[in-house]
Each structure stands twice: as C-alpha cells, then as structure tokens.
Amino acid sequence: MTISYSPGWTASIREVVIGATAAEGGTRRISYRIGGESDLPCIGSGRKPLIAFEICDDPALWPDVIRSACTKLVDNPPAWAAYVDTTLQADLIRLNLTSTRRRNFDAYDAVSKTVIAVLQATSLPLIIEGSADADIDSEVFQRCGEAGEKEKLVLGTAEAARYRSVAAAAIAYGHSVIAQSPIDVNLAKQLNILLREAGVPDDRILIDPYTGALGYGFEYTYSTMERIRFAALKGDGDLAMPMICAPSDTLTIKEVRAAVHSHETAVSWEVATAVAAALAGATILVVRHPGSLAPLRTAIDSLWKEEVA
Amino acid sequence: MALKALDIYKLLPKKNCKECGDPTCLTFAMKLAQGKVEPDLCPYLDEEAKNILGASTRPPIQKVTVGMGTLSFTVGEEFVFYRHEKTFYHQPGIMYSVSDTESDDRIREVVSQVRGCRLTRIGIDLVLNGLAVYAESRSPERFAAAITVVTQDNPDLPLVLMASDPAVMEAGLAICGNYLPLIRGVNDQNCEAFCTLAKKYGAPLVVSGNDPEQLAANASRCTGLGITQLMLDLSGTEGEFIRASTLVRQAALARSVPGLGYPVFLDVRSSGFSGLITGITKFASVIVTRPLTRTEMQAALVMRQNIYTDPQKPIQMTPGLYRVGSPGRDDPVFLTVNFSLTYFTLQGYLESTRRSCWLLIVDTEGMSVLTAVAAGKLSESVVKDAIEKSGLASEVNHKTIIIPGYASPLSGRIEEYTGWKVIVGPRDAAEIASFIEEELK
C-alpha cells in the first residue's frame, strides 16, 4: 500500500517577473520569476521564497534597533543598498521612501535621485515603497516609475482607497504593483480586480495581505495567507498572485522595543514570523534586521527542496 | 473531513421534536458540526445515521496525554488541516533536551530554565512543558541517575525518555515510569520489548518508520500489542518534516489510514529554532528542542499562542482597570473593549505619548469597538458594570471617562446611566497623541 498525498488542486500561482537583466532591457545582474507553485509551500517542486531586505531614505521613524544595527548606513541609501547586496546577500532590496512621510513633503527631485543612486549602487532587483499620502502619490510614483524605467521594479503600495497613482506609474513604465489589503481575503480579491480594471496586468500584481506582528494579530495574517493560497490553488484567478509579507512589522512591538537584548530579540521575532509566513505561502519575505538574513536563509534552504533547473 | 451542518441536517429526522434539548433539528445539526453535542441525544436516529455521525464526530487524531498531575498536557484530538476551518485545539508541548552525559548541575540548570520560564500575555501564562532526557551514555545506571536528578525536586515535570536499548529505557522507567513519560526509541528490532514497557507503565509511546507506510504498519503493530497511547515520529530536516506531516495530517483527517491517526512527535535538536517554528505551525504535538535562548523561547511561545488561538473566538483581554505608566488620581481614564488587538493598539499608542493614564477595559466578549456597538455588546449598562466592578471611583478624583470615537452614539446614555461625564475620543488610536495634546492639556 502506498500512502500518497492527494490535494486535489486544479490551478497554480501566477508568475511575476521582477527585475530586468541587460538581455531583458534593464541593468540588473539577475531577474526573478516568482510564483508558479501548484501546491502548498514546501510541497512538490515550488520555488523557494525570496528574502528582501528593507532600507529607507529617512530613518527617523524607524525602530531604534534597526538604526543601531545599521548605524553607518542609515543616512546613506546607496551605501546601505550595496551592503545589503554584497555583505548580507539578500535576494532583493526594498527601498522605503520614508522621506515622503514628512509634513509638506515636496522634494520630488530627491526621490528620483535616490532611486537612481540606489539602482547604481546595487544590481539586485528593487522594490520601491513610495508615498502614503494621496496628495503626493501621483508625483512620487511618477518619479519612481520613471527613474527605474526598464528595470521591472515592484512599486508599493496600492490600497483600495489609493491605488490609481501607483497603478498608473506601473503601467507607464512596466513595473509591478504591491496590492495591500487589511488582512482579509475578500478585500484582497477586490483590490486585485480594481487594479486589473485600472489596466494593471494580472502578472504584475503581488498580494500583500498586511502583516500583523507576532503576538499582535499575526494569526490573522497567517490564516488569511493560507486562505488566499488555498483559493488560488482551487482556481480563483483573482487571488492567484504571489504574496509578499513583511515580518519586519514585528520590530515595532513593545517586546522588541523594550528588550534588554534588543538585537537578539529583534532577530528571534523576525525570523519566527518570517518562517511561519513562508509556510503560509509568502513568496517574498521582507526583513529589516541584518542578523535575520543568515538564519532565515538556512531555514528556507532546509525547508525547500533543491530547485529543479 | 468533518461533516458540515447541512450535511448532518439531512441525516436527522427533521421533526423538530425538541427532545434533544435543541429547538430545531437544524440547530442540533449545527451543534453536532461543531462537536458540541453527541449524536446520541437524538432518540430517532437510525443505525446508519448514527454510524456516519459517530465516525464524523469522533476525533480523527487520537488523544494522548503526557505526564501526570497539574503539569501534564494533552495533545491530539484535532479535526482540521487549516486553523481557519475551525481551530487547532491542543497546542504542542515544547520540551528542552538534556543528555544523560551532562553534569548534574547542567541538568538542574535546564530543569530550572523550563520551570522558571513564564511569559504572561493578555492574562495567559505561556510555559514550556517539560524535559527530554536522552541516553547518550547508553548506560542504564547513568540514564537512571540523570533522571533521578530531574525527578528529585520535580517529580511532576512531564518527561520524554529517549533511548533505543530496552534495558536502558527500563532503567529510566523504573525511576519515573509512574508519571507517564513519553517513551521514544522504538525501532524494528525492539518493538515488542518497548510495547511491553509502555504497557507495564501505561506510558505513551513514540513509533517511527522510514516512510508513511512503514510508520502506519508499525503503529498498527503497537495497537495490536495493546498500546493505544501512540505518537508518530516525523523527525527529520524541516523540509522532510513538512512533507511528512502534511501527508500524515491529511491521511488522519480522511481516516484513510488507521495507523496514522495519532499526534506527531518532532525532534528539532539538529534543525534548531526554525525547526521548532515549523513544528509549531505545521501539526507537531510534542517538540523536543535544545534549550533555546531566552528571546527564541519567547518568540516560539508567542507563535504557539497565535497559531492555537481559536479564530472564531478572538484573544480576549481580561476586563478591568489597567495602568499605563504610573497614573495618579487626576489622570485621564480611557475606556475600550476587551478585543486583544484593540487593547494592544491603544496601549501602544498611549505608551508612546508618555502620558500616564488609566485604561478601563470592558467586557464585549472580545468584539472590536465597531462590532460591539453594532451588536449591543458595548452599552451603558456594560460601562456602568465595569466602572463599579473595577472600583474606578476610588482610584481617581474625577468623574470623566474618554470613550472610543466609534462609541459616540452611546455617550449621552452612558452619562445618564452612570453619572460620569463622557468625552468622545478619536476613532483611530493613532490619533490619540494629538487628542491628548489638544483636548487634555
């Protein structure tokens, strides 16, 4: 008697391409084709999740633990990006344009400059988090999109209430979009439909289910991701996009802020969240603490079988 | 797979006779689907329906208890593959490992790490569950001596005994067997001897096998020898574990392979912290790990709490009066609901304002402000009750409470009913800092 696993899936996750090499019209040394899984995480021949490391252009609002872990880099996004690329060896860099969160922000030229400088400092594909304010979205995303033209960036973040600017920049310059909904499978689906109607092709959307921090609602994120993956594998094309999940959100919680051994705490909590997120179906795991990279890489290599080339 | 309420309803007599204690057959069916009542309560079920319902409400995964007394824990009795389908019931026991070749002092130190670990979150104590002693010495005397070190002061600490030589295992069981430790070490050669030991002490037994077929066959062999308290050993790399545990869980829930309907044992001494997190999320019931750092231990216990929270019943804060900072008699009182996320969010924003204040948590059965107002769970009488029970009036010199913005429709009624002045606060906790700055100078 052979006992076999028979999940009864009928569909697979859609593939999304991130980054463009010279052959693909960009300047990245590598590009990634993510998604394509036709089973649960770690089962079958699905691809390993990628690790994205977060940097920003204005660290004032970032957790102390990150500013102290990256002291000499936090005021220099290109140097920070180069460090993430060559020393930490992340798969992707997520550049957060936190400067745009300041009141009365209007330094749009600086946005373009930062994006271009980071693109020059690293040859990894980039995710760019633009503004979070509808009043300046249009200009900020336009600048990001333009500065990274042909590089197949991932632009974030589209939400149900403000997605048109980021969608427009993605369509105009050939980038993908992160679609974030508040930990709810139906809202995730709805936003994907809105983006499609706005003209964003399905294979250029990533779902961000919104990451509740460990101990502060992570269980909702975990189950929402499992439900999205389940729905996608059962054939719901509106949810069949790869997911991006940000365990780095865990770094803002009290346990980490108040910790005596704050770096050790940050790494433990971030890695725990990232491993669980990967098992729930995340395709891109976003971390912020340099110490999280190595243990997370080891865990993923052990969880996933060697990829079949 | 458990039957849905409507499927069950089709099997019922549909007489609405109320003899089961429920008003209609449909409500009875709904309770059956949730496993809250037994099918026997219906006097009119035919045999076939009884068989179908009995099989579908009996747990597909055997219940197994490790240890005796207040520290003992029960695992198994799970019904679903995804926690969102219903809930995961019995959280895994996490056991720190020690070798019997380690010094007595080191063994005592690990025991005290296990016993001293207590993390309290939202009024719930999160604990490590016990100790796993492995017979690295291969000596019956040393194994027994190491276990004696543990049991001298802590006879009630649940244990896993790990040895593959029946003589060594027997020496260990002679010390602690009556406390029902989990026995691990069965292989093809020693199966009969181990079953004899498990039977003698009534202790649960971990069975292993190189593949699911062999594992199921070995489990059936043990049940054939009269052992019913079994666990399945799926230790391996993280990836091997996930693939095996997915298959075993699926087979168990489908009741397709009787030998796989048992809780899962996982040894993560080589895969470490990420192996532990993997085990917690993906169906392990007893996990043996090397002693963790304090921060890893905390993250793992919180992950376990998150994953084993009932999705239909949000984590609730215990209602009552809480302090943020060190509030005095003139400091403001904020009222909110006992949905844990609401509490955590508000508490976080209040702490970041560095303004000491009181936080009055009222019992809305874990509902958020908006849902509680809509469902009538947050009302003037609930507020009055909370003010009285908490003894708020004796803690402060004023009679003013600040209620959440979404509760503003209740402000007048609360004032009339309680006699306290009500200030309506912001809807979003993120605006609490500017609210304090502008309204409470």
Side-chain angles (χ1 to χ4, degrees):
Chain A
M1 178 184 59
T2 307
I3 301 165
S4 64
Y5 164 74
S6 53
W9 307 126
T10 56
S12 55
I13 309 296
R14 201 170 274 112
E15 291 189 327
V16 174
V17 175
I18 302 177
T21 60
E24 294 156 334
T27 62
R28 307 295 88 196
R29 70 170 182 273
I30 186 170
S31 64
Y32 301 109
R33 184 175 288 274
I34 64 168
E37 295 84 8
S38 52
D39 209 324
L40 295 175
C42 307
I43 312 287
S45 56
R47 298 185 174 109
K48 289 179 185 176
L50 300 176
I51 305 175
F53 194 87
E54 280 195 295
I55 66 173
C56 68
D57 70 341
D58 183 351
L61 294 173
W62 272 37
D64 290 342
V65 66
I66 298 306
R67 281 184 296 170
S68 74
C70 306
T71 11
K72 288 184 179 151
L73 301 164
V74 290
D75 293 318
N76 188 342
W80 201 352
Y83 171 77
V84 171
D85 182 340
T86 53
T87 307
L88 297 182
Q89 303 189 328
D91 299 312
L92 284 161
I93 292 174
R94 172 145 104 169
L95 169 63
N96 290 262
L97 296 169
T98 42
S99 61
T100 62
R101 311 292 204 266
R102 294 217 179 238
R103 221 171 263 182
N104 303 322
F105 172 84
D106 61 358
Y108 301 110
D109 288 342
V111 163
S112 310
K113 271 190 199 156
T114 306
V115 172
I116 289 168
V118 169
L119 279 166
Q120 282 168 352
T122 173
S123 53
L124 288 176
L126 281 195
I127 301 169
I128 305 218
E129 282 298 321
S131 49
D133 175 354
D135 293 340
I136 58 169
D137 275 353
S138 172
E139 186 70 27
V140 170
F141 285 116
Q142 158 75 21
R143 297 296 185 114
C144 297
E146 189 179 17
E149 189 171 11
K150 296 193 165 52
E151 301 287 7
K152 286 192 190 287
L153 306 174
V154 180
L155 294 181
T157 292
E159 299 168 38
R162 38 174 289 278
Y163 64 89
R164 291 191 182 278
S165 300
V166 61
I171 295 164
Y173 299 104
H175 306 307
S176 297
V177 174
I178 294 175
Q180 187 187 76
S181 40
I183 323 190
D184 184 297
V185 58
N186 295 316
L187 296 178
K189 181 175 166 121
Q190 197 178 5
L191 179 55
N192 290 342
I193 295 170
L194 288 174
L195 285 169
R196 179 189 304 140
E197 284 171 357
V200 182
D202 284 343
D203 63 356
R204 276 161 52 191
I205 298 174
L206 301 181
I207 296 173
D208 177 354
Y210 188 85
T211 311
L214 180 58
Y216 295 83
F218 179 68
E219 69 273 29
Y220 296 91
T221 300
Y222 181 87
S223 282
T224 299
M225 290 171 73
E226 285 199 326
R227 293 178 67 185
I228 290 173
R229 178 74 165 238
F230 181 88
L233 295 175
K234 282 284 183 187
D236 188 338
D238 296 331
L239 287 169
M241 290 75 175
M243 286 185 277
I244 179 169
C245 181
S248 51
D249 292 350
T250 289
L251 300 180
T252 57
I253 64 170
K254 189 171 70 178
E255 280 82 351
V256 176
R257 283 200 318 266
V260 182
H261 306 287
S262 60
H263 291 291
E264 213 181 302
T265 307
V267 171
S268 296
W269 288 63
E270 196 169 50
V271 169
T273 315
V275 169
L279 295 175
T283 296
I284 298 178
L285 303 164
V286 184
V287 296
R288 237 181 237 190
H289 197 288
S292 298
L293 248 295
L296 184 54
R297 179 77 70 199
T298 309
I300 288 172
D301 287 346
S302 166
L303 279 165
W304 268 263
K305 282 180 182 164
E306 277 309 304
E307 283 170 57
V308 186
Chain B
M1 187 61 76
L3 290 177
K4 292 200 168 67
L6 278 176
D7 300 326
I8 294 174
Y9 178 65
K10 286 176 195 155
L11 299 168
L12 299 182
K14 306 185 197 66
K15 298 158 68 114
N16 297 336
C17 66
K18 304 183 178 60
E19 288 179 44
C20 61
D22 266 285
T24 65
C25 289
L26 186 60
T27 53
F28 184 60
M30 288 163 73
K31 283 192 184 166
L32 279 172
Q34 293 165 353
K36 286 181 179 165
V37 292
E38 292 296 324
D40 295 346
L41 284 174
C42 175
Y44 303 104
L45 280 184
D46 59 40
E47 278 308 309
E48 193 194 339
K50 266 186 197 167
N51 280 338
I52 296 171
L53 291 175
S56 78
T57 50
R58 201 183 310 126
I61 298 171
Q62 169 82 41
K63 173 171 139 182
V64 173
T65 298
V66 180
M68 286 265 280
T70 51
L71 298 180
S72 69
F73 61 94
T74 296
V75 292
E77 262 192 327
E78 300 290 346
F79 292 85
V80 293
F81 188 88
Y82 296 103
R83 60 185 288 284
H84 65 252
E85 290 176 276
K86 193 171 190 181
T87 182
F88 293 167
Y89 287 96
H90 295 109
Q91 55 181 23
I94 301 176
M95 322 291 271
Y96 275 5
S97 67
V98 286
S99 162
D100 67 350
T101 58
E102 293 183 84
S103 71
D104 291 359
D105 281 347
R106 171 64 187 160
I107 294 173
R108 282 193 199 95
E109 188 188 326
V110 177
V111 171
S112 73
Q113 278 179 26
V114 170
R115 299 225 62 164
C117 146
R118 177 151 285 127
L119 183 64
T120 305
R121 295 191 81 256
I122 40 172
I124 300 166
D125 284 336
L126 310 182
V127 296
L128 295 168
N129 301 82
L131 204 72
V133 187
Y134 61 101
E136 200 176 2
S137 70
R138 296 166 188 271
S139 142
E141 293 75 27
R142 181 54 210 158
F143 192 51
I147 292 167
T148 307
V149 172
V150 179
T151 54
Q152 257 167 3
D153 300 323
N154 299 280
D156 55 343
L157 190 66
L159 296 179
V160 183
L161 305 190
M162 307 203 288
S164 51
D165 178 345
V168 175
M169 184 58 81
E170 183 154 26
L173 286 169
I175 309 293
C176 66
N178 292 332
Y179 287 93
L180 306 187
L182 182 61
I183 302 172
R184 189 223 192 178
V186 173
N187 55 36
D188 289 345
Q189 287 82 45
N190 63 21
C191 188
E192 270 77 16
F194 266 69
C195 284
T196 307
L197 287 173
K199 213 167 180 180
K200 179 173 169 192
Y201 290 98
L205 184 67
V206 179
V207 290
S208 58
N210 290 328
D211 53 47
E213 291 79 17
Q214 204 193 348
L215 186 61
N218 288 349
S220 300
R221 194 166 153 203
C222 293
T223 46
L225 291 166
I227 312 293
T228 55
Q229 290 278 289
L230 287 178
M231 295 192 67
L232 308 173
D233 193 347
L234 300 184
S235 305
T237 67
E238 285 119 302
E240 287 163 355
F241 167 73
I242 288 272
R243 290 182 275 280
S245 72
T246 301
L247 193 155
V248 164
R249 181 71 150 218
Q250 201 196 40
L253 295 178
R255 300 165 201 272
S256 57
V257 187
L260 296 182
Y262 297 96
V264 164
F265 174 89
L266 172 64
D267 179 352
V268 299
R269 282 177 296 158
S270 51
S271 55
F273 180 57
S274 60
L276 173 60
I277 298 297
T278 303
I280 289 170
T281 51
K282 292 290 175 182
F283 322 130
S285 283
V286 168
I287 309 175
V288 171
T289 171
R290 288 183 193 284
L292 304 167
T293 66
R294 194 165 167 76
T295 66
E296 288 173 334
M297 179 271 290
Q298 288 174 337
L301 290 179
V302 173
M303 181 63 77
R304 183 178 68 177
Q305 183 186 33
N306 272 189
I307 296 295
Y308 279 78
T309 298
D310 185 345
Q312 301 160 98
K313 197 168 157 266
I315 302 187
Q316 297 179 23
M317 190 61 201
T318 313
L321 187 62
Y322 292 82
R323 290 174 161 82
V324 181
S326 38
R329 302 187 69 86
D330 295 319
D331 281 314
V333 179
F334 288 87
L335 176 144
T336 198
V337 297
N338 73 328
F339 177 40
S340 66
L341 289 190
T342 305
Y343 166 78
F344 282 139
T345 311
L346 182 60
Q347 187 211 29
Y349 280 109
L350 285 172
E351 278 179 354
S352 64
T353 66
R354 298 198 167 79
R355 162 91 192 234
S356 287
C357 57
W358 301 91
L359 196 48
L360 181 63
I361 305 296
V362 304
D363 188 356
T364 54
E365 295 166 23
M367 284 187 193
S368 69
V369 176
L370 202 55
T371 25
V373 171
K377 298 289 179 190
L378 179 57
S379 65
E380 59 276 21
S381 58
V382 169
V383 174
K384 185 172 190 225
D385 194 41
I387 291 175
E388 284 168 3
K389 272 194 192 153
S390 65
L392 177 61
S394 62
E395 297 283 357
V396 294
N397 283 336
H398 58 84
K399 286 193 84 173
T400 303
I401 48 172
I402 301 159
I403 64 170
Y406 281 116
S408 64
L410 302 172
S411 60
R413 273 182 279 154
I414 295 175
E415 287 199 339
E416 279 171 30
Y417 199 68
T418 64
W420 283 60
K421 183 173 180 287
V422 171
I423 298 177
V424 177
R427 289 185 168 191
D428 187 339
E431 289 154 25
I432 211 94
S434 55
F435 172 82
I436 288 178
E437 206 171 296
E438 286 157 22
E439 308 287 329
L440 305 177
K441 270 167 256 178

